[in-house]
Amino acid sequence: MSSDFTFIWVAVGALFDPITIAYALAALGLALHFGFTGLLNFGQAGFMTIGGYAFAIGAVKLNVGFFPSLLMAIAGAVLFALLLGIPTLRLRADYLSIVTIGAAEIVRLSVRTPEARPLTGGSDGLNGTGASFFALNPIPDTFSINLGPIHYTNDMVWVRLVGWITVIVAALIIWLLVRSPWGRVIKGIREDEDAVRALGKNAFSYKMQVLIIGGVLAGIGVIFAIMPSSLQPDNYGTQTTFFIWAIMLLGGAATIFGPIVGSMIFWATIAITEGFVSLGVKTGVLPITPVQSGQIRYMLVGLALMLLVIFRPQGIFGKKAEARFNG
Amino acid sequence: MVNDTTRPALHIGEAVPGCKKIDPIIIADNVTRKFGGMTAVDVPHIEVPRNAITALIGPNGAGKTTLFNLLTGFDVPNTGEWSFNGETISGKSAYKVAQRGQVRTFQLTKSLALLSVLDNMKLGATNQRGEGLLHALLPWTWKAQEAEVEAKAVELLARFKLDTKKDDYAASLSGGQRKLLEMARALMSDPTLVMLDEPMAGVNPALTQSLLGHIVDLKAQGMTVLFVEHDMHMVQTIADWVIVMAEGKIVAEGEPSVVMQDQAVVDAYLGSNKDRDLGELVAEIKREVAAGADPALAGDDLSLEKE
């Protein structure tokens, strides 16, 4: 019996998982894009792909070590933001959404082509990207933590520790930014760009800064997800972008803690629903096959999101008044 | 509030369309803007007098708002150049125009709904250090300036009787209050020229008086005002100079009392059939259409009459 309920430990583990870290940072970046500035970025997965591959190529192919690889990821995300932003940010908001969703797919399909295999590993992706990062680990090999049946090695603790410190630093930076006069300008752009331009602010420049900062967060975050496992191009398709949107809306679009807590709840919920569904299948309560159960859990997540949007449209941390005036 | 008759002359020579002003703040030449085959604005020369209230009037579709958009950098002309305060600003972006002290408001009010009234105001202040990305991260570099901006905003809000609303979302204001907020916000930048696009549209009569007072105040404080308006009573009351547009062209200019008597203005604004019964006119147009006259022309007349 006890082994059937290990999924509860898996769900608790998911709260702090490197995947959760990656999505928290990507969703925080998206909150800056959409929640605070009104930019419709549907290509956050593209920023993750760019950041992930720039880092992985630096770490595995060029062997330049952790920090130079990190810088490559940041530079990659900045370049991608400039490439997307320069032609689209002067246009109406919807153009950015079309371009970003397309560009993210172009990036994913480009890195997984067989021709790019020597550099990107093609559809197999890249492994062992975390070697230089784990070499920096000051936690001794003998150290480990047991969470129920799950065993965390010193490297697993190390990546989570650095990852969450990064999340906290990023949240602090975004918090400082949005409560400053700079933040007032970007919120003004969200409400009405022309009004802000009429007050003498260079709206294009602010939108570009926002696109870069939010994209870099996604590009850095993904590193924590790929270092302990591997970089797979198909993990960063449009579904990823929509998960990030779901996480951001779940927590509250124009909030700092929303995307972070949203990511934790999202991944824990996925683990719990998966556990319950497979338990139901095993005991015969649910008349479905194990293959179908994989789809069922996403339906349950979808249902949960619908209920959230209906009953708490501002998200968990959002202000109720904002949703009222929006509707 | 009532016009004094002893005000100094603003123009040089005869008050004809495009006439020279003694002290112009805006001088524009050969401004044209075409939308497809339609010429929305075709102005060979226009000068706006400094430290005066100038009204830009004309029927719907006359090109007033288009001219506004061009002069403020929100639209790009097909041809034309203009200067503001002696500096050429044609081709400059909207935000650069605003930074030079030429601010505008919009026909459809652009209050920033999910910002507080106070934040709306603070956004209007110029040269804020904290609006730069790096300074934003270092609050001690902009806190002092922020306090100054806030004090100024509160003072302006009090003048516009919005101070009790300062912590509310702008979305919660009435239409008239949003007009007031937009005007107050524009004043945060200490502008030289304030351009108001239909400041009275949708404002109830009780607020109209206070809005008129605020506009006259602007002039008293040394600013120049250019506004678009349909309300003839308002134009008569506060304008020092009136420019009349029709079908993209300036058809008349002059002091309000004089220009309202101008036949071109009466034709453009009220239609050449203003003294006739509408039913009789429609019947006549129908007869003309039936007799094979140009139906497009008849349609034009009719649409003008409806306004």
Side-chain angles (χ1 to χ4, degrees):
Chain A
M1 193 61 197
S2 68
S3 69
D4 287 340
F5 283 96
T6 51
F7 69 83
I8 294 193
W9 292 111
V10 175
V12 172
L15 290 174
F16 306 102
D17 198 78
I19 303 275
T20 308
I21 294 169
Y23 278 72
L25 284 167
L28 187 60
L30 186 63
L32 186 66
H33 288 157
F34 174 75
F36 289 104
T37 321
L39 298 180
L40 283 170
N41 170 18
F42 281 103
Q44 198 67 331
F47 282 102
M48 291 174 96
T49 317
I50 294 276
Y53 273 94
F55 177 83
I57 289 167
V60 179
K61 298 289 173 184
L62 308 177
N63 262 318
V64 290
F66 175 73
F67 288 105
S69 304
L70 178 67
L71 283 180
M72 282 176 67
I74 294 171
V78 171
L79 280 177
F80 192 52
L82 289 170
L83 199 65
L84 293 178
I86 288 169
T88 56
L89 287 180
R90 286 181 203 280
L91 304 171
R92 253 192 2 241
D94 9 0
Y95 290 95
L96 181 70
S97 63
I98 298 164
V99 169
T100 47
I101 201 169
E105 279 298 276
I106 291 170
V107 168
R108 182 177 68 87
L109 295 171
S110 303
V111 293
R112 77 189 296 284
T113 49
E115 285 75 13
R117 183 173 284 273
L119 196 62
T120 65
S123 56
D124 295 336
L126 293 168
N127 290 311
T129 54
S132 52
F133 173 75
F134 293 120
L136 298 172
N137 187 359
I139 307 170
D141 285 350
T142 50
F143 180 87
S144 67
I145 297 176
N146 286 315
L147 189 66
I150 309 171
H151 180 75
Y152 290 94
T153 65
N154 63 331
D155 279 352
M156 289 162 84
V157 173
W158 173 236
V159 71
R160 282 162 180 76
L161 190 68
V162 177
W164 283 106
I165 288 171
T166 309
V167 171
I168 290 164
V169 170
L172 192 68
I173 290 173
I174 303 295
W175 179 74
L176 279 171
L177 284 178
V178 298
R179 61 191 284 282
S180 72
W182 184 90
R184 191 159 61 218
V185 176
I186 65 165
K187 285 181 243 174
I189 290 171
R190 175 189 70 197
E191 298 302 317
D192 194 318
E193 191 183 329
D194 280 347
V196 173
R197 289 164 67 213
L199 294 171
K201 323 288 178 198
N202 184 354
F204 174 79
S205 162
Y206 281 95
K207 290 200 288 183
M208 200 71 229
Q209 293 170 32
V210 164
L211 191 65
I212 290 172
I213 295 167
V216 164
L217 288 184
I220 293 176
V222 70
I223 292 171
F224 297 102
I226 63 170
M227 283 191 306
S229 53
S230 70
L231 174 58
Q232 299 287 337
D234 293 334
N235 283 348
Y236 306 98
T238 31
Q239 180 181 262
T240 304
T241 294
F242 288 109
F243 278 1
I244 297 166
W245 271 85
I247 287 165
M248 178 198 65
L249 295 172
L250 174 74
T255 65
I256 307 286
F257 285 111
I260 298 166
V261 177
S263 181
M264 297 167 85
I265 294 174
F266 182 85
W267 289 107
T269 311
I270 293 267
I272 287 176
T273 49
E274 191 175 35
F276 269 116
V277 170
S278 63
L279 193 66
V281 172
K282 230 181 273 176
T283 55
V285 177
L286 285 174
I288 53 171
T289 67
V291 179
Q292 288 168 320
S293 70
Q295 308 301 316
I296 289 279
R297 67 174 179 159
Y298 285 120
M299 289 184 198
L300 290 175
V301 171
L303 186 71
L305 277 173
M306 282 166 67
L307 292 173
L308 180 87
V309 169
I310 293 165
F311 293 107
R312 203 173 164 84
Q314 72 273 32
I316 293 167
F317 287 91
K319 287 192 211 123
K320 193 155 195 179
E322 287 185 7
R324 187 173 70 234
F325 285 121
N326 261 337
Chain B
M1 288 263 292
V2 177
N3 280 335
D4 51 84
T5 47
T6 56
R7 75 182 141 223
L10 296 166
H11 61 290
I12 301 170
E14 219 178 319
V16 291
C19 67
K20 291 218 178 307
K21 305 297 183 303
I22 290 167
D23 184 13
I25 189 162
I26 284 187
I27 306 171
D29 284 298
N30 300 318
V31 182
T32 60
R33 177 70 172 101
K34 295 188 175 76
F35 295 112
M38 205 267 293
T39 304
V41 168
D42 181 7
V43 174
H45 188 79
I46 184 174
E47 293 187 6
V48 177
R50 187 191 306 271
N51 195 17
I53 300 177
T54 304
L56 186 59
I57 66 170
N60 290 337
K64 307 181 295 292
T65 296
T66 309
L67 183 61
F68 248 55
N69 287 344
L70 292 172
L71 293 179
T72 51
F74 276 88
D75 195 3
V76 181
N78 293 86
T79 66
E81 324 202 306
W82 55 91
S83 65
F84 168 70
N85 251 344
E87 185 187 4
T88 302
I89 57 161
S90 43
K92 291 247 190 293
S93 317
Y95 79 93
K96 285 185 181 157
V97 171
Q99 283 173 354
R100 281 167 173 74
Q102 180 187 331
V103 301
R104 69 169 296 180
T105 66
F106 294 86
Q107 189 175 348
L108 299 169
T109 323
K110 290 188 186 296
S111 59
L112 305 164
L114 290 185
L115 258 57
S116 72
V117 168
L118 189 60
D119 275 347
N120 262 275
M121 292 294 291
K122 286 179 179 173
L123 197 57
T126 50
N127 295 322
Q128 295 189 55
R129 208 170 294 123
E131 286 181 356
L133 187 61
L134 292 178
H135 282 296
L137 290 171
L138 314 169
W140 60 90
T141 61
W142 50 262
K143 280 286 186 214
Q145 193 189 21
E146 180 80 355
E148 285 167 28
V149 168
E150 181 159 339
K152 185 174 171 185
V154 170
E155 188 195 317
L156 264 172
L157 283 174
R159 188 135 59 90
F160 281 76
K161 302 221 165 37
L162 287 169
D163 45 341
T164 54
K165 298 267 184 188
K166 74 182 170 72
D167 297 319
D168 296 358
Y169 280 127
S172 69
L173 299 182
S174 73
Q177 288 173 325
R178 287 183 210 185
K179 285 266 178 204
L180 285 173
L181 173 61
E182 201 182 14
M183 197 189 292
R185 189 176 66 195
L187 299 184
M188 282 295 289
S189 65
D190 297 322
T192 322
L193 169 64
V194 183
M195 295 174 66
L196 308 167
D197 198 349
E198 299 204 18
M200 294 298 154
V203 175
N204 73 46
L207 269 181
T208 305
Q209 275 309 321
S210 87
L211 255 176
L212 285 178
H214 290 308
I215 296 173
V216 173
D217 259 5
L218 300 184
K219 186 181 128 186
Q221 290 166 32
M223 287 173 236
T224 304
V225 180
L226 176 65
F227 71 99
V228 169
E229 192 48 65
H230 281 299
D231 183 341
M232 282 307 111
H233 175 70
M234 172 184 169
V235 172
Q236 292 270 22
T237 313
I238 65 167
D240 301 313
W241 191 257
V242 178
I243 299 173
V244 189
M245 285 185 80
E247 293 170 3
K249 295 184 167 60
I250 294 175
V251 294
E253 265 193 59
E255 291 179 11
S257 52
V258 180
V259 101
M260 295 304 185
Q261 305 303 320
D262 190 312
Q263 193 55 41
V265 176
V266 175
D267 284 355
Y269 216 98
L270 305 163
S272 51
N273 297 308
K274 73 170 166 86
D275 294 327
R276 294 177 60 189
D277 177 67
L278 185 65
E280 187 193 317
L281 187 73
V282 170
E284 185 188 309
I285 290 164
K286 280 182 180 159
R287 273 200 304 282
E288 278 173 16
V289 172
D294 185 354
L297 202 68
D300 264 5
D301 260 350
L302 192 61
S303 65
L304 197 65
E305 195 61 37
K306 269 195 270 184
E307 283 159 15

